[in-house]
Amino acid sequence: MTSTVWWNRMVGEFVREAGSVEPTPGGGSVAALAAALGAAMASMASRLSQGEAFASFQTSIGETLETMNRLTRACEELLEADIRAFEEYMRALKLPKESEEEREARRTAIDEAAMGATGVPLRLVQVCLDGLRNAERIAGCCNKHVVSDLGIGALLFEASAQSAGLTVRINLRSLRNADLRAQYERQMTAMLQEAESLKTQVLRTVHSRIAGH
């Protein structure tokens, strides 16, 4: 069962710890929280787009709400997973390196920990993409009174994706396998480009609806 030690703490406590000298929670966990807040905004926009006035859009609205619930749970898991991955990486760095055998074992442990620390933020980028795709799906039909909140959700999703991308890039430096580094880099770049494009599409619709077009 996934630990929710950090997820269940008060926001103020999380913010204080994130700003302290302690290494966790760090950027990856903060990005996961931002994505969860993005999902919350999209959830609210969906919940307030129920009823007869939105009857013809209920399939899209309902599926988006279901997706946001799933993404919120994923953010909870990824927030905790990022902390565990970083702690595993720090443990690998502290392994002995006196002999050649110890150095090789340490190097292998660092590689494995770096892959884990890279995989977590990559999964977060995918979560953000899912959120943005669904936000784009309902941007034109959700309740106009909360369309700005949906736009805020899109901004948070994209900011989270870009933030997770920075975490991926710094962790990739620890991988010895150049081909694997390049593969991760290509995958991340394509995902971030899509995230930026989706955010732009959502905001274009949001601004248009706010203007009454």
Side-chain angles (χ1 to χ4, degrees):
M1 185 174 182
T2 302
S3 169
T4 57
V5 172
W6 279 102
W7 186 261
N8 290 328
R9 292 192 179 187
M10 296 294 292
V11 172
E13 184 180 2
F14 182 92
V15 171
R16 285 192 297 274
E17 289 293 328
S20 74
V21 297
E22 297 300 320
T24 57
S29 297
V30 169
L33 180 57
L37 291 172
M41 290 293 92
S43 292
M44 183 181 72
S46 299
R47 292 183 195 282
L48 292 174
S49 301
Q50 307 285 331
E52 186 177 346
F54 308 97
S56 58
F57 309 116
Q58 281 313 291
T59 297
S60 296
I61 297 294
E63 290 177 353
T64 294
L65 181 56
E66 183 178 335
T67 296
M68 294 307 159
N69 290 336
R70 174 176 58 81
L71 296 185
T72 299
R73 293 191 297 271
C75 289
E76 175 182 351
E77 294 171 0
L78 290 170
L79 187 153
E80 303 285 348
D82 182 79
I83 292 172
R84 293 195 302 272
F86 183 81
E87 290 172 347
E88 186 65 29
Y89 181 75
M90 293 303 294
R91 280 193 290 271
L93 289 178
K94 294 174 182 177
L95 289 173
K97 50 182 177 178
E98 297 301 320
S99 67
E100 184 59 37
E101 290 79 7
E102 287 178 342
R103 285 191 289 273
E104 181 57 31
R106 177 178 178 272
R107 185 65 258 184
T108 298
I110 290 172
D111 267 350
E112 292 175 354
M115 287 183 65
T118 300
V120 172
L122 270 176
R123 281 163 32 216
L124 180 57
V125 176
Q126 185 60 63
V127 162
C128 294
L129 276 178
D130 290 346
L132 282 162
R133 289 168 184 153
N134 279 270
E136 195 274 333
R137 183 183 186 187
I138 67 168
C141 65
C142 72
N143 188 330
K144 65 181 180 181
H145 300 296
V146 292
V147 72
S148 61
D149 298 289
L150 183 68
I152 290 168
L155 285 166
L156 287 167
F157 275 132
E158 202 259 344
S160 174
Q162 295 291 346
S163 300
L166 292 175
T167 302
V168 169
R169 284 197 167 100
I170 198 166
N171 290 332
L172 285 179
R173 298 185 310 172
S174 299
L175 287 180
R176 285 185 291 183
N177 188 320
D179 290 338
L180 189 58
R181 286 201 307 271
Q183 176 185 329
Y184 276 129
E185 179 68 36
R186 287 192 300 271
Q187 179 184 358
M188 183 189 63
T189 298
M191 293 167 74
L192 292 181
Q193 287 173 347
E194 183 181 357
E196 184 175 7
S197 176
L198 285 165
K199 177 209 68 177
T200 300
Q201 293 174 45
V202 173
L203 291 183
R204 185 181 297 118
T205 301
V206 168
H207 285 301
S208 178
R209 294 191 68 193
I210 288 174
H213 298 156

